[in-house]
Amino acid sequence: MKNLIIVESPAKARTISNFLGKDYKVVASKGHIRDLPKSSFGIDIDDAGHFIPKYSIPRDSNAIVKELKDLSKNAETVYIATDEDREGEAIGYHIAMAIKKDPEVLPRIVFHEITKSAINHALANPRHLDMDSINAQQTRRLLDRIVGYKLSPLLGSKIQKGLSAGRVQSSTLKIVVDREREINEFKPVEYWSIDALFEKDIESGIYSFGETKIEKLTIGNETYASEVVAAAKNDSYVVASIEIAQKTTKTPPPFMTSTLQQSASSQLGYSPKKTMMLAQKLYEGVKTDQGVMGVITYMRTDSLNLAKEAVDNARDHIKNVYGEKYLPGKPKSYVTKSKGAQEAHEAIRPTMVSFTPQVAAGYLAGDELKLYALIYNRFISCQMTDAQFESQTIIFEGKKCSFKASGRKLLFDGFYKVTGYSEKDKLLPQLQEGQSVSLDSITSTQHFTEPPPRYSEASLIKKLEQLGIGRPSTYAPTITILQTREYIEIEKKRIHPTEVAFTVTEMLEEHFPEIVDSSFTSNMEEELDRIGEGEADWQKILSDFYNPFIKKVDEGKAKIKSQKVATPTGEMCPDCGAELLLRKGRYGEFIACSNFPECKYTKNTDGTVKEQPQQSDEKCDKCGAPMVIKSSKRGPFLACSAYPKCKNAKSLTPPKEISVPCPECGGKLHEREGRRGKFFGCSNYPKCKFIANFEPVDKKCPECNYLMGKKTLRGKEVYECFKCKHKEEIK
């Protein structure tokens, strides 16, 4: 063996191996192989105030490290080929240190895509590990360890065990809590809308009354609405003006991490975690008509740059498939508005324009194909011509009232040729200015302003991006850890903070405001960028943060009042004789033994003993442990007794059957409740995997004859096809 290439993942290793001959061996480190220890702080501070991380090799990485050491001894050249971002650079550094090689000497190869040409180009143009990027990532890791290791125990001692804090995590949690506060404090305001139907079924809305132009909230009560309606009924109208204008809808930019996660959420219903898992597979290598290779570029990016060769290929494809009229005169370029974006990287795009979604359908599975098609179509559409619309506006004017009617017509579909355009034209009839028109009907409707919506995972990521909190690689993991720590719950795709989230956020706001301040967190990201660019001293940034922070932590241990509810009840535990205490938990107050954890006796505040899980005759189909019966807000369910090692669970509540049959196999469809809310699935699962996140109805799609469902889209009730996504508004 002459050359060794070290990557992170086995899938990536297999794909690259397909491109290279016998002179190369490609092996995977399987992610990080050195990190700060879990059992201790892991950072020494010397007399000069320098921060010295005490990295160690986890036990489960010992075997792979030994293998890498043995292989590297016999290799003529060892290449580091980890991902081209700061984390990948840091993984490469730790690999070099673990196998006893000089990290500043080892050749480092980088590529945005895993294709044969990209790998060969990288091998022909190696560089060295970027120590500035490594120091930036190392600073991030140490900052997170300092906050987590020093602040989390304080929260545990003052509020409840098991809590955690984090530099990005806590500022993200505050955003969610602040939105919930807005909702709780919101006071609805009454307003009325007035709509009229003129001859030829022209729908219009009130535009002015007397000298007042009607805006939303102008008509604030029923009395005023009745006055306007009465005046409008007695008025006579003419066509005061007709405006026709052409408007352009510009092509969307290609995807970067945040916008991919947002679009996959809104269009495909995927969580950010699922989106990134699927994108990782598409990047690392899948079967194609040209062998196994990566079919998209690197998926953790905040850049909108595109390689010239990729743009040229896209333009050739557009010209050949769609024609000259869909090809703009010159290539389109985009600049990200994302704070602190790494413009040296590239946007997410397909690696082969010839691997169309139609071709990919023969090689990719359902979810992978859907995500790939989303990425492919977005890339092609970003280089197409803009869509052109004709907007129509007619003002019907009376002596006291005037009404406004609007219409819209698609003149040229442009990029919609690829992405699809489901809205129907709303055409206004031909009228003449000065023409008299009759008012056929008029209605007034009461409304109330609504509070701001709770964040979805997609909208929260968009907010984090706008504020500059975190980076592409941190969005999905941050939301996941908030769920894991039970700070948030996601119901019907909306994020709800738990009770303890408010308690933690309030304490941090009062005593550690910088930890939950989005500006502070964003500015720290900029400092990390400066380290990565060689413009800042990473030791100084750590020191500037650490010293005042630790002083606050030490003061907090003595000064912050405990919020734990542990009031003596005067009763004695029937199991061990120790005193019983009134405590506060996630689900409210309860009474527990003061001798916990030695004694685990608990009861409810009304004196009833807390239900203990009942044994069942069923065994866990994942680990073989006995299943126990527990209760939740959704009813009784079976849970594995080996929890938390095994988290298998099954509902005991019979699913509700709906009258519509499964469109795939004709079986029964059941309404079920999952972690993300209500969904509909086939009773023949897993043989039939039909699933729907909105209610199926007995209606066939006029485009493809598949089953349709009913959902709310932008405030309107619509039917949507589960197959081709055709939509019809419900009248």
Side-chain angles (χ1 to χ4, degrees):
M1 183 187 67
K2 294 182 179 180
N3 300 290
L4 176 68
I5 298 176
I6 304 175
V7 299
E8 305 105 305
S9 83
K12 190 175 177 181
R14 287 192 294 271
T15 304
I16 294 175
S17 294
N18 291 331
F19 304 139
L20 302 175
K22 296 180 180 179
D23 290 340
Y24 293 90
K25 182 172 180 63
V26 188
V27 293
S29 70
K30 298 179 181 178
H32 291 270
I33 59 173
R34 281 206 328 164
D35 199 2
L36 298 174
K38 292 182 178 179
S39 58
S40 62
F41 184 41
I43 304 172
D44 284 342
I45 304 173
D46 63 18
D47 295 339
H50 293 137
F51 293 78
I52 305 166
K54 298 167 65 178
Y55 294 114
S56 62
I57 297 172
R59 186 178 302 172
D60 55 4
S61 294
N62 283 335
I64 189 65
V65 170
K66 183 179 184 304
E67 180 189 4
L68 292 176
K69 280 183 178 178
D70 293 342
L71 291 172
S72 65
K73 287 177 183 176
N74 301 319
E76 180 178 309
T77 306
V78 178
Y79 293 94
I80 299 295
T82 48
D83 290 342
E84 192 189 9
D85 56 15
R86 285 182 195 151
E87 187 172 10
E89 211 74 13
I91 291 173
Y93 169 81
H94 289 299
I95 290 171
M97 298 299 289
I99 64 175
K100 309 296 183 184
K101 298 287 186 179
D102 186 345
E104 298 192 55
V105 173
L106 279 184
R108 159 82 158 121
I109 59 173
V110 293
F111 34 84
H112 294 299
E113 58 188 66
I114 304 179
T115 58
K116 186 172 183 178
S117 59
I119 301 303
N120 288 332
H121 181 269
L123 285 168
N125 299 275
R127 62 168 173 83
H128 294 296
L129 285 163
D130 182 348
M131 291 307 298
D132 289 328
S133 290
I134 292 164
N135 285 334
Q137 184 65 23
Q138 182 167 245
T139 306
R140 176 189 291 278
R141 184 71 185 93
L142 298 191
L143 282 169
D144 291 343
R145 171 54 65 98
I146 290 166
V147 174
Y149 204 89
K150 297 298 184 182
L151 189 51
S152 297
L154 182 62
L155 294 177
S157 67
K158 301 296 182 180
I159 301 175
Q160 71 179 45
K161 288 184 178 179
L163 299 180
S164 71
R167 189 179 53 85
V168 174
Q169 167 194 325
S170 296
S171 57
T172 302
L173 182 60
K174 176 173 164 56
I175 292 171
V176 175
V177 168
D178 282 347
R179 175 56 57 89
E180 197 70 18
R181 288 167 174 164
E182 285 183 71
I183 294 170
N184 293 337
E185 294 168 4
F186 179 80
K187 291 181 174 54
V189 176
E190 179 186 10
Y191 70 98
W192 289 70
S193 62
I194 296 176
D195 299 298
L197 191 67
F198 284 87
E199 62 181 69
K200 298 184 180 180
D201 293 331
I202 305 174
E203 298 175 354
S204 60
I206 189 73
Y207 185 64
S208 67
F209 178 57
E211 299 296 322
T212 305
K213 184 177 179 182
I214 302 295
E215 303 283 355
K216 186 178 179 181
L217 305 182
T218 301
I219 303 175
N221 55 65
E222 187 174 7
T223 302
Y224 188 19
S226 299
E227 182 185 345
V228 175
V229 169
K233 285 181 177 179
N234 296 321
D235 224 337
S236 57
Y237 299 90
V238 297
V239 177
S241 66
I242 300 174
E243 290 185 13
I244 297 177
Q246 286 198 10
K247 294 186 177 180
T248 297
T249 299
K250 293 187 176 298
T251 52
F255 283 130
M256 53 185 178
T257 303
S258 60
T259 52
L260 175 63
Q261 291 174 355
Q262 291 162 39
S263 293
S265 175
S266 60
Q267 296 182 42
L268 304 177
Y270 296 168
S271 68
K273 183 177 180 180
K274 179 177 180 177
T275 298
M276 296 310 289
M277 178 189 71
L278 293 170
Q280 185 87 31
K281 291 180 181 178
L282 296 174
Y283 166 70
E284 290 183 342
V286 293
K287 288 183 180 179
T288 75
D289 55 335
Q290 298 181 37
V292 175
M293 65 179 66
V295 293
I296 65 168
T297 53
Y298 191 52
M299 64 287 157
R300 293 187 182 91
T301 176
D302 48 17
S303 171
L304 294 179
N305 285 341
L306 291 169
K308 182 180 182 301
E309 181 183 3
V311 172
D312 290 343
N313 289 338
R315 286 175 60 82
D316 288 342
H317 176 81
I318 294 165
K319 182 179 179 181
N320 294 332
V321 175
Y322 302 105
E324 290 276 4
K325 64 180 180 179
Y326 288 95
L327 186 68
K330 60 180 181 179
K332 293 189 173 186
S333 61
Y334 301 87
V335 178
T336 181
K337 297 177 182 178
S338 177
K339 199 173 181 182
Q342 305 295 304
E343 286 296 334
H345 298 163
E346 210 182 335
I348 304 169
R349 60 167 176 82
T351 58
M352 301 177 292
V353 170
S354 61
F355 194 61
T356 65
Q358 292 73 27
V359 175
Y363 300 90
L364 301 181
D367 287 345
E368 289 177 1
L369 177 61
K370 289 177 184 177
L371 188 68
Y372 177 73
L374 192 70
I375 294 168
Y376 185 96
N377 291 338
R378 182 68 165 247
F379 169 65
I380 295 298
S381 67
C382 85
Q383 292 302 315
M384 296 179 76
T385 45
D386 299 336
Q388 302 292 329
F389 291 86
E390 178 183 281
S391 67
Q392 306 158 323
T393 304
I394 298 177
I395 302 295
F396 301 111
E397 194 171 87
K399 294 176 182 178
K400 288 188 175 181
C401 301
S402 67
F403 289 82
K404 180 179 178 181
S406 299
R408 193 182 193 212
K409 179 171 66 175
L410 180 65
L411 298 176
F412 176 63
D413 54 0
F415 69 92
Y416 285 124
K417 189 75 172 177
V418 169
T419 63
Y421 181 73
S422 59
E423 294 184 25
K424 292 184 177 179
D425 289 345
K426 182 182 177 182
L427 302 176
L428 297 178
Q430 293 291 328
L431 299 174
Q432 300 293 325
E433 288 190 11
Q435 175 183 340
S436 295
V437 288
S438 61
L439 176 66
D440 290 348
S441 64
I442 185 167
T443 57
S444 60
T445 308
Q446 183 187 39
H447 306 274
F448 290 92
T449 54
E450 296 184 353
R454 290 183 177 89
Y455 288 105
S456 63
E457 292 178 88
S459 61
L460 180 57
I461 286 171
K462 185 175 182 179
K463 185 69 173 178
L464 295 176
E465 182 189 27
Q466 288 173 347
L467 295 174
I469 296 175
R471 285 296 180 260
S473 61
T474 66
Y475 298 141
T478 298
I479 294 174
T480 298
I481 197 169
L482 289 177
Q483 280 185 278
T484 303
R485 297 295 184 183
E486 298 182 335
Y487 285 138
I488 62 172
E489 295 174 344
I490 300 179
E491 297 179 5
K492 297 182 179 178
K493 297 189 177 181
R494 293 293 168 179
I495 299 173
H496 299 252
T498 59
E499 183 180 345
V500 75
F502 286 91
T503 307
V504 169
T505 301
E506 286 163 7
M507 179 179 286
L508 294 177
E509 284 173 327
E510 182 177 355
H511 300 284
F512 299 89
E514 69 280 3
I515 297 300
V516 291
D517 178 31
S518 59
S519 297
F520 175 86
T521 307
S522 174
N523 290 337
M524 184 60 74
E525 294 290 351
E526 292 177 3
E527 290 298 294
L528 294 174
D529 291 342
R530 291 182 62 234
I531 295 171
E533 292 160 6
E535 298 175 357
D537 181 351
W538 67 283
Q539 288 283 354
K540 184 178 185 306
I541 286 173
L542 281 171
S543 179
D544 289 346
F545 173 80
Y546 180 83
N547 293 323
F549 174 73
I550 290 300
K551 184 179 178 182
K552 282 188 177 183
V553 172
D554 292 338
E555 290 174 351
K557 291 176 182 177
K559 294 181 179 179
I560 297 176
K561 185 179 178 181
S562 175
Q563 298 189 39
K564 287 186 173 181
V565 177
T567 308
T569 63
E571 296 181 68
M572 298 302 164
C573 176
D575 289 352
C576 72
E579 187 172 22
L580 293 178
L581 303 175
L582 178 67
R583 294 188 179 276
K584 188 175 182 180
R586 286 178 53 219
Y587 303 108
E589 294 182 340
F590 66 98
I591 294 170
C593 182
S594 59
N595 197 26
F596 180 84
E598 285 73 19
C599 178
K600 298 182 180 179
Y601 175 82
T602 59
K603 67 177 182 177
N604 298 313
T605 52
D606 62 4
T608 58
V609 177
K610 279 180 167 284
E611 282 189 33
Q612 299 299 315
Q614 301 175 29
Q615 296 294 323
S616 77
D617 297 330
E618 193 166 338
K619 298 288 185 182
C620 176
D621 54 15
K622 290 188 177 179
C623 71
M627 300 288 276
V628 295
I629 301 173
K630 294 186 176 182
S631 297
S632 74
K633 60 186 178 182
R634 299 191 187 104
F637 67 97
L638 282 174
C640 182
S641 59
Y643 180 87
K645 289 184 179 178
C646 177
K647 298 181 179 179
N648 189 24
K650 298 178 181 178
S651 175
L652 285 174
T653 305
K656 178 182 175 183
E657 184 180 329
I658 66 172
S659 60
V660 181
C662 174
E664 292 292 330
C665 70
K668 297 177 181 178
L669 289 182
H670 288 159
E671 179 182 320
R672 299 180 183 274
E673 280 285 338
R675 288 179 58 199
R676 301 183 184 279
K678 184 167 67 175
F679 70 96
F680 301 85
C682 183
S683 59
N684 291 327
Y685 179 86
K687 289 183 179 179
C688 177
K689 296 185 178 179
F690 174 81
I691 191 168
N693 57 10
F694 52 95
E695 183 181 0
V697 296
D698 190 14
K699 180 177 174 62
K700 294 295 180 69
C701 174
E703 298 290 333
C704 68
N705 203 38
Y706 199 74
L707 185 67
M708 300 189 81
K710 184 170 68 173
K711 66 189 296 188
T712 302
L713 188 65
R714 291 188 285 274
K716 295 181 179 179
E717 291 286 319
V718 299
Y719 293 122
E720 180 176 315
C721 177
F722 289 110
K723 192 172 187 178
C724 73
K725 304 303 179 184
H726 170 76
K727 297 179 184 64
E728 292 181 1
E729 186 175 346
I730 301 175
K731 300 295 185 183

